Amino acid sequence: MSLEQEIKKQYSKIFSADFKDWIPFKQMADYYLKTSAHLLTNDIDSPEPLKLWLRNVQKRLSIGIATELLLKAIYLKNGYNINKPINGIQLDFPINIQGLDTHKLNPSETYGLNMLIQHLSKIIELEQNSESIMEGLKISKVFRNKEGHVAVHWHNFERKDYDRIEFSLIELFRLGFNENLNFKISIAKNEVGKFEIE
């Protein structure tokens, strides 16, 4: 077993709907979204010229991570598998966990954010807001991917991108968990972050 496989094994699990495995995914998504809403430049331990940049990078990473965890929670809560199959085995996606032969699943690998976004409308009814929800999720995915793979001192800030993310996540809390989320990412000057589940 390689070092990488050994470390992956520490996290290995076949996720199930029966044991409410969705709950820790939702708890971590909540935490990351709360962080993205409230993180201030004063919370960043760095020299002054870098504080704002680092804060914004952390916010975008938190949004992207939260989005993936939230979608995995929705899949599991609705009885759908998130583990990838073992190499060489073909499985439909999405597929219901009920009756699924777990020996065909890889406990060390789960489906990625892109796949989860593409098939979300098969898991929950997105109502008339499907396109707007998808826009926010795709922006979250790009934020996570870009901030996780490159480092640049500039970013073309568009408040409407954050508005789309906020709308998308508020809708997913409502549709996926029957929760009312009051969510505002403090990103522009003098904005006050909000993360409250009512």
Side-chain angles (χ1 to χ4, degrees):
M1 186 179 293
S2 72
L3 177 61
E4 185 177 349
Q5 289 170 326
E6 280 182 36
I7 303 303
K8 280 185 176 182
K9 192 173 180 183
Q10 296 172 11
Y11 295 88
S12 291
K13 183 173 175 64
I14 301 294
F15 293 100
S16 167
D18 298 337
F19 301 110
K20 298 196 176 188
D21 284 344
W22 66 270
I23 292 174
F25 284 88
K26 173 67 166 54
Q27 289 169 329
M28 287 307 302
D30 289 354
Y31 171 78
Y32 280 116
L33 290 177
K34 189 173 184 179
T35 299
S36 74
H38 294 297
L39 189 69
L40 302 173
T41 53
N42 288 339
D43 298 325
I44 304 298
D45 183 17
S46 179
E48 189 57 46
L50 299 178
K51 280 182 180 277
L52 180 62
W53 171 53
L54 294 173
R55 181 207 71 161
N56 292 344
V57 168
Q58 286 300 307
K59 283 179 178 281
R60 288 188 288 270
L61 279 171
S62 292
I63 290 165
I65 294 167
T67 298
E68 181 164 337
L69 295 172
L70 191 70
L71 292 185
K72 286 178 176 174
I74 289 172
Y75 275 72
L76 288 170
K77 188 172 188 290
N78 286 278
Y80 285 87
N81 171 56
I82 64 167
N83 287 91
K84 287 183 176 180
I86 292 170
N87 286 341
I89 294 178
Q90 295 294 318
L91 286 178
D92 292 333
F93 185 84
I95 190 167
N96 200 288
I97 296 170
Q98 193 71 29
L100 182 60
D101 181 358
T102 57
H103 293 97
K104 294 180 177 179
L105 301 177
N106 185 340
S108 298
E109 298 286 342
T110 57
Y111 288 101
L113 183 52
N114 193 53
M115 190 78 126
L116 299 169
I117 291 171
Q118 286 178 358
H119 296 277
L120 181 62
S121 63
K122 297 174 185 172
I123 306 303
I124 59 171
E125 174 59 50
L126 299 180
E127 301 172 351
Q128 70 277 11
N129 297 320
S130 177
E131 188 175 325
S132 297
I133 290 170
M134 286 297 145
E135 285 178 357
L137 295 178
K138 289 174 183 176
I139 294 167
S140 295
K141 179 186 73 172
V142 172
F143 278 179
R144 190 214 45 192
N145 289 348
K146 287 301 178 187
E147 297 297 359
H149 291 97
V150 298
V152 293
H153 283 137
W154 51 268
H155 176 258
N156 291 331
F157 169 76
E158 295 280 350
R159 174 66 232 185
K160 67 183 179 186
D161 294 338
Y162 296 87
D163 295 338
R164 289 173 174 151
I165 290 168
E166 291 160 358
F167 175 83
S168 179
L169 295 173
I170 287 167
E171 285 297 289
L172 289 185
F173 271 69
R174 181 177 69 83
L175 298 169
F177 304 97
N178 200 27
E179 294 178 337
N180 292 320
L181 175 65
N182 186 3
F183 182 49
K184 183 77 170 176
I185 303 160
S186 64
I187 196 75
K189 191 172 183 179
N190 298 325
E191 285 185 335
V192 176
K194 293 178 187 172
F195 181 86
E196 298 166 358
I197 300 173
E198 300 168 0

